Amino acid sequence: MAEVAEDVLQRDDAMPPDEPADNAALFSQLLSASGWALVGRCSAVAALMLMNALLTRILGPQAVGAFFLIFSMVVATASLSQLGLPVAIVNLVGDAVGRQRWGRARAAVRATAWSASGAIAAASLLMIAFGPALTLHIFHSEMVSTAMTIAAAWLVVRGLQTLLAEIFRALKDLRSATIHSGLLSTIISVLAF
């Protein structure tokens, strides 16, 4: 362990010293990024509230309950099936971009995208194969059981959307990350309803 720490310290010593920070540019960048994040989150919350209001008007109580049960299953399964890769991609790509190692950043995006896509596809196939019987047995809901194919497709979209948002975040494109982290899909859902 001590040898690893020494190696890291020696590499850091070999790197050129940091340039002095341009506080005005840093403050401007911070304001822009936090502005996008704030407006994006507030818009997503407002669109989500509108979508929920539309759903409760359009669907009956039993169908709304089934929708929210399926939504909860999709969100939980998408989070688990990503294997923590969205968090890892921010670290790996952010580090590579900061060091201007573009090949390493591309390789990290490629490896993470393939790994996450495989895990999400596997979770989706498991949801199609075992979801109907499992939900019928656990939740005693024919409506939820018959919607498992749609839920599996939703799982794929949600999982890849989250991964794409985190890739944009790692590339320091916070505007695109905000748009793809749920704002765009919620607005499309509201328009569809």
Side-chain angles (χ1 to χ4, degrees), residues 77-78 81-83 113-129 152-153 155-157 159-160:
T77 307
S81 68
Q82 292 171 351
L83 308 171
W114 279 108
S115 301
S117 297
I120 291 167
S124 180
L125 291 174
L126 286 172
M127 186 176 271
I128 290 171
L155 165 68
V156 170
V157 170
L160 294 177

Side-chain angles (χ1 to χ4, degrees), residues 9-55:
L9 290 174
Q10 287 173 356
R11 275 188 280 143
D12 285 345
D13 288 341
M15 296 183 73
D18 287 339
E19 299 173 7
D22 180 9
N23 290 337
L26 186 61
F27 186 71
S28 172
Q29 206 173 16
L30 181 65
L31 278 179
S32 173
S34 62
W36 268 105
L38 179 65
V39 168
R41 296 289 169 133
C42 290
S43 300
V45 167
L48 189 61
M49 288 174 60
L50 181 59
M51 185 182 80
N52 290 343
L54 288 171
L55 276 174

Side-chain angles (χ1 to χ4, degrees), residues 88-123:
I89 192 74
V90 172
N91 188 19
L92 292 172
V93 173
D95 179 58
V97 167
R99 295 174 188 255
Q100 297 183 351
R101 294 181 178 169
W102 307 111
R104 183 180 170 127
R106 276 192 297 278
V109 168
R110 215 175 292 123
T112 304
W114 279 108
S115 301
S117 297
I120 291 167

